[in-house]
Amino acid sequence: MSTRRKKIYEGKAKILYEGPEPGTLIQYFKDDATAFNAQKKAVLEGKGVINNRISEYVMTKLNAIGVQNHFIKRLNLREQLIREVEIIPLEVVCRNIAAGSLSQRFGLPEGQALPRSIIEFYLKDDKLSDPMVAEEHITAFNWASTQEIDDMMALTLRVNDFLTGLFAGVGITLVDFKVEFGRVWENDFARIILADEISPDSCRLWDAQTNEKLDKDRFRRDLGDVIESYTEVARRLGIMKEMPTVIQGGLH
């Protein structure tokens, strides 16, 4: 762990440390799990290791199809080297099937397919419980420009297409997911790239056959077997082969 490195930022599930070169950071995945704006907390042994692996796998694949993101390389069990970006203070949520707050807001039965993928923006602010925001708010308060909103939506839809196919291929339905974006500056021009992580912490993933939840809802809703489910996602994606035995041994 990067004890000697300067801590830049600590979130609920990750810590960012100063990177080895300028313009880089080290992203450390914690085992902490939180829900309902951190009102519910737990430490889930091995969660950070699995999320590090899954996020590495997905980000690498996205890079390969031209969806630029901050991932550079995985360093060890819990850390990855990433590009430093200027984070846009928005959570971008893409929904394919009604679940969670969308079901509650509109009285839709959970599991109902949506007429098309819906993208929503939320302000990243735990104190305000991450309120949903419209394009009007985003541009008026200068969180992002109209062009950046267009870029984020286009990238989110590309990620959705890719992830939907990736997970469908291993018998998992992608219900919805959350992503974050950041600016990379080149002279006076800022490009938008994908940041943060993509893992069962940030996606709703259901078994295609049984609709069993394989994601953070298991923690939110006290369904148990959280780590087993995250491990199952990694196993199906074929990235568990060289998982450390400590983690596999620590699941019981």
Side-chain angles (χ1 to χ4, degrees), residues 37 123-133 143:
N37 292 306
L123 180 64
K124 259 174 74 74
D125 191 323
D126 284 342
K127 290 193 290 296
L128 301 174
S129 306
D130 301 332
M132 192 172 169
V133 293
W143 297 322

Side-chain angles (χ1 to χ4, degrees), residues 53-72:
R53 271 298 164 86
I54 293 176
S55 202
E56 169 198 20
Y57 179 80
V58 173
M59 292 292 194
T60 304
K61 294 248 184 223
L62 286 170
N63 255 327
I65 62 159
V67 176
Q68 290 192 310
N69 59 66
H70 72 169
F71 179 80
I72 300 171

Side-chain angles (χ1 to χ4, degrees), residues 31 45-50 77-78 227 231 240 243-252:
D31 282 342
E45 192 68 44
K47 175 175 85 84
V49 175
I50 300 167
L77 284 179
R78 292 184 176 274
I227 292 297
T231 307
M240 285 304 284
M243 280 298 275
T245 47
V246 270
I247 301 306
Q248 293 176 334
L251 288 182
H252 307 301

Side-chain angles (χ1 to χ4, degrees), residues 204-215:
R204 277 197 175 91
L205 303 168
W206 294 357
D207 181 275
Q209 251 40 84
T210 64
N211 282 345
E212 188 191 353
K213 294 171 174 57
L214 301 171
D215 56 63

Side-chain angles (χ1 to χ4, degrees), residues 15-246:
I15 305 172
L16 295 177
Y17 294 99
E18 208 167 52
E21 295 102 36
T24 65
L25 296 171
I26 288 172
Q27 178 165 262
Y28 174 91
F29 286 77
K30 303 196 285 189
D31 282 342
D32 300 36
T34 63
F36 315 115
N37 292 306
Q39 287 163 19
K40 179 176 184 175
K41 293 184 179 143
V43 173
L44 302 170
E45 192 68 44
K47 175 175 85 84
V49 175
I50 300 167
N51 283 354
N52 185 16
R53 271 298 164 86
I54 293 176
S55 202
E56 169 198 20
Y57 179 80
V58 173
M59 292 292 194
T60 304
K61 294 248 184 223
L62 286 170
N63 255 327
I65 62 159
V67 176
Q68 290 192 310
N69 59 66
H70 72 169
F71 179 80
I72 300 171
K73 65 175 181 183
R74 188 171 57 81
L75 299 172
N76 52 44
L77 284 179
R78 292 184 176 274
E79 295 178 329
Q80 45 184 241
L81 185 67
I82 59 170
R83 286 179 73 171
E84 185 170 16
V85 300
E86 181 188 308
I87 280 282
I88 293 171
L90 298 169
E91 296 186 345
V92 184
V93 173
C94 182
R95 301 178 182 272
N96 300 313
I97 291 168
S101 65
L102 188 81
S103 289
Q104 290 158 8
R105 252 180 294 145
F106 299 118
L108 299 170
E110 194 158 83
Q112 181 178 310
L114 300 173
R116 61 179 171 84
S117 300
I118 292 174
I119 295 180
E120 300 171 335
F121 292 95
Y122 295 83
L123 180 64
K124 259 174 74 74
D125 191 323
D126 284 342
K127 290 193 290 296
L128 301 174
S129 306
D130 301 332
M132 192 172 169
V133 293
E135 201 165 322
E136 272 296 276
H137 303 115
I138 296 171
T139 52
F141 296 120
N142 210 20
W143 297 322
S145 67
T146 311
Q147 180 59 57
E148 287 175 330
I149 293 171
D150 288 349
D151 290 349
M152 286 189 285
M153 289 180 78
L155 284 165
T156 301
L157 288 172
R158 288 193 66 192
V159 171
N160 188 39
D161 284 346
F162 172 76
L163 288 181
T164 299
L166 177 76
F167 285 121
V170 295
I172 294 173
T173 303
L174 177 66
V175 174
D176 57 37
F177 65 92
K178 174 207 80 134
V179 280
E180 294 179 21
F181 293 92
R183 297 181 185 94
V184 179
W185 289 90
E186 281 143 13
N187 304 321
D188 290 341
F189 177 72
R191 219 161 19 91
I192 297 287
I193 69 170
L194 184 63
D196 196 42
E197 73 177 301
I198 293 179
S199 75
D201 266 12
S202 61
C203 304
R204 277 197 175 91
L205 303 168
W206 294 357
D207 181 275
Q209 251 40 84
T210 64
N211 282 345
E212 188 191 353
K213 294 171 174 57
L214 301 171
D215 56 63
K216 193 170 157 182
D217 272 347
R218 299 201 71 85
F219 172 69
R220 288 188 193 97
R221 302 177 187 191
D222 292 320
L223 300 172
D225 289 345
V226 184
I227 292 297
E228 286 82 348
S229 300
Y230 282 36
T231 307
E232 176 63 13
V233 172
R235 191 190 65 73
R236 290 199 198 180
L237 291 172
I239 47 180
M240 285 304 284
K241 297 184 216 25
E242 59 316 27
M243 280 298 275
T245 47
V246 270

